[in-house]
Amino acid sequence: MSAALLRKEWREHRGALILLNVLFGVLGALLVLNEARYATHGTLMEVLKIPAVMLSTAAALFVAHRLVTREYGQRTQLFLESLPLSRASILATKLLLGGGVLLLPLVLTGLALWSRARLHEDLSARFLLILGLRAATPVLLGWMFCALAGLIGRYRNPLFLLLFLALFAADRLTDFDLTRVGPTVLLGSDFAFERQHFPWAALGLCWAAILGMAAVCFGLVLHRDGTLAELLSQRMSHREKVFIACICVGLVVVISVMDAAKQRQPFTLHDAEQALAVGSPVQVSSGVGFSREDAARLATRLANDLGALSRYLGLERLPAVAVMPIRELDADVFQRAELENADGVVVRANLADPAFDVRDFEAFLFQQVLIWTSKGQVLREERRWWLDGFTAWWARRDEEDPRLSPRVAVASRDDFDPRAWLTTRERVGPCLAGALAARGITVLRSQLDEEAFHSLARQLLAWPPGTGVTGRLSEPRLEDLLRARGLGSESELFTRWRTAASQDRAVHAALLEALSRLHPSLHVVAESQETFRLEHRLRGEGNTPAGRYALLSQNLGPFTAEVAPYALSRQDAVGAEDAVILPQGLARGERWLFVMQQERPELGCPVRLVAERREIP
Amino acid sequence: MIDENAAVATGEAADVPASGAPLSEPEVVLRTFGLVRAFDAVRAVNGVDLELRRGEVYGFLGRNGAGKTTTLRMLMGILRPDSGEIELMGERVRRVRAAQKRRLGYVSQEQVFYPWMTAKQLGEFVAGFYADWDAAHFTRLLRVLDVPVERKSAQLSGGTRMKLGLALALAHRPPLLILDEPTAGLDPVARREFLDILREQVRSEGQTALFSSHLVGEVEEVAHRIGILHEGRLRYQGSLERLRQSVRRVRLEEPGPESAPPGLELVRKERANEGRRAWVYSGAPESWDTSPFPREAIEALSLEDIFLAYARRSDEA
């Protein structure tokens, strides 16, 4: 450590470092003042995670640029080396200063939080020590990494890129899970929850990495009398830029190819009844109320129908399909499982429920299979109605479904926009949305001969999926396909579709009249400055009984798009004058999806009376 | 290599330095023992033995890439010798330590200062590393050298930056000053000013200076003794006068002598001209008195010619 060098660094960087501390001071103050919004695990100290994340990333990068990268970039380290000062002490001074500068805002924020939290929380010294270690270690790790990157000079940006690619490749190609190692464990969901046990494994890993990177830093600075670090700090030549760009592009290609070539084993459901659909297994397991014979029958049926779908659309191959019975789901709610290490489509449904409708289930399963075969391309919003409609129609292609018309009537009662299908889907629910889309398919089918419709379906649902921009550009557009078949524009199709739906509404006017007599309402009521409750109520007009209904709710993340029905929490209630209170409290700034729905036996579907997203004011 | 230290020590070296100052203090300030430093397969410095005595200006001559900067960086402790040792004011070490560096003043050929610092701020910064820093002396030096005190170093011209570097190197009154091609890149006026100041400083403060350059004229002007470095090897070390007396050109008809006469060493064989070829030999001055060459064939050489003879590529020799 050199006091003179410390003074120089302070003089050179004081503006930036003061600004950094002021920014974090403001951030800390905002966090403390808005504690309720951020502290969801019962302690205000959880807020410390936010500055820890910022200091270990953006701030560490900033400080490393100021203290390390600039020194070598301007070649002023040559001047320092001519002074009576060793290279090791220069680096040690910078590393300690940088660490101190980054830890200072963390400590100050921690102290501010502690002074506030201790008034109404029991904060043991052990808990504070655990918390301090969990917050400070990632900051030091981030700082050491950024300092090392600074010493790597012109190769630091390629290093960041390669690190990102390596993590991406590890995530895609191996069982490595970034959320379960080192700093992500320390700043994980139990950050302020764990009060007794030190996360020694993660701490040990991080400190080993910190010490390792510090050793590499000293190695770089001292190796060949610092000429290596000096060499690395020089500007990149054009040839190097081209070379590194080629390496990066090559790596991206290799990772993509390896990822595409990676053959995950088809999912195997042990002790399940199995049938084959075009060579792919369809497995159905038995369960309580769902015998092996039932499972075998369902497996055979699904295999036959999937085989027919595959032949009709010309699918190259089908995924392994597994179906598991689960009693906890509603009969009309189906759930697809996420598979990490195996390949296939695994779905769960309440197969034993008397209200379980195998046709609706098949429509859902066909959707999942088409999503799998198209690698998700069919999920794009502009063609999503095609997926919903075709699968609903295909599942009932051999029979006249008496419930289709009333379903369409109810689903279209507030008009709809096929181009904003996800909005329509959330508003009416997947069951009615499927029926409404199926009406669009029947309208289209009525205007085309079998062969034309068949080719249209193949092009829209079984087109070999492209990826990225090329896939987007090369995929067939519905507008073009319709014009090629002399059906006019997409808008004209939608007009005909709306006309057909209005005819359904005319037929089922009584049902719509009955629904219009129901008056749902949702009110967010303040309980304190920061907390709120939801009151919901369903009233019938005049003497019309409101009946039973369910309130479904989900606290939304910042980027939540579609919410699966099984992810919604459910509260059953009876319509009355008095409001019902949602047991779960709401906090200021949260975003929620609230759905009020009522089962209608004549539809075999729940009718969504209200579906709206709300931000708690 | 010709080393005339013995001659210098006995005062025999016709020690009439360009500055006219006699070598009154024979104490050795710096001595190196077989310094070697290689970069990959290239030996930039190959067994250099320097010797500097108190109060002298030592001119370190060599072409670009001869190994001067590498040698000086080893003397400053910036580079570690692969082998060899350095004796600095009586203390013999492999690598110069920070404590020893406090007794050195260094001006590099490339003055890279913090661009945001003024001369005053640089002085304050550098002062923190030297216990015997003389702030008043630094201020005086800046005034004498005509360096603007409050102007940022990024705004200074190359010559002024070099003067600032000299002021920084002198302000703690180091016994030994190491100057690595300080005049490179300066215009003739700035170079003249710089040399005058250096000569005056060394004379008035009694300091020793090791001054590297590839310009013979300026070395001739300020140096008491010189060393000629070529391809990492010290080819000559001694006084200028003795060098002039030692090296001669001999013009003879072809084919000339097959080997160097006793007491003389072939420095370089020059191209034929009108049927005559020239050989440059070096040897003790008295060796020329007994040489087999006719007197009319022997020519005295200017320092520049001598330097060129030493510094040309060895395959021409």
Side-chain angles (χ1 to χ4, degrees), chain A residues 78-97:
Chain A
L78 296 175
F79 176 55
L80 287 183
E81 287 171 2
S82 71
L83 297 170
L85 194 61
S86 68
R87 288 188 185 88
S89 65
I90 294 172
L91 180 64
T93 304
K94 285 177 178 289
L95 291 183
L96 289 173
L97 178 64

Side-chain angles (χ1 to χ4, degrees), chain B residues 76-105:
Chain B
M76 278 304 296
I78 298 171
L79 295 178
R80 179 188 170 87
D82 294 334
S83 66
E85 290 186 326
I86 298 165
E87 186 184 300
L88 196 58
M89 290 155 218
E91 201 175 349
R92 188 163 168 168
V93 290
R94 164 61 72 84
R95 180 177 196 161
V96 174
R97 296 190 304 273
Q100 290 175 298
K101 282 168 81 172
R102 292 199 176 90
R103 305 181 67 189
L104 301 175

Side-chain angles (χ1 to χ4, degrees), chain A residues 63-77:
Chain A
V63 173
H65 174 77
R66 299 287 307 196
L67 291 183
V68 182
T69 313
R70 260 170 56 139
E71 194 79 79
Y72 279 83
Q74 293 177 344
R75 304 184 66 221
T76 42
Q77 95 283 0

Side-chain angles (χ1 to χ4, degrees), chain A residues 426-427 518-526 532-539 549-554 569 571 573 576-582 586 592-597 608-617:
Chain A
E426 185 168 284
R427 186 164 52 77
L518 297 174
H519 298 290
S521 63
L522 295 168
H523 291 290
V524 174
V525 180
F532 299 82
R533 69 172 186 271
L534 180 80
E535 293 182 354
H536 53 93
R537 177 189 294 125
L538 181 63
R539 286 178 300 179
Y549 70 98
L551 181 96
L552 311 180
S553 59
Q554 167 77 14
S569 301
Q571 182 191 22
E577 284 300 316
D578 296 332
V580 180
I581 298 171
L582 184 70
L586 317 175
W592 284 80
L593 170 65
F594 299 116
V595 174
M596 284 178 70
Q597 68 178 33
R608 290 192 171 183
L609 305 168
V610 168
E612 61 179 57
R613 293 181 178 223
R614 280 199 184 186
E615 181 162 348
I616 309 306

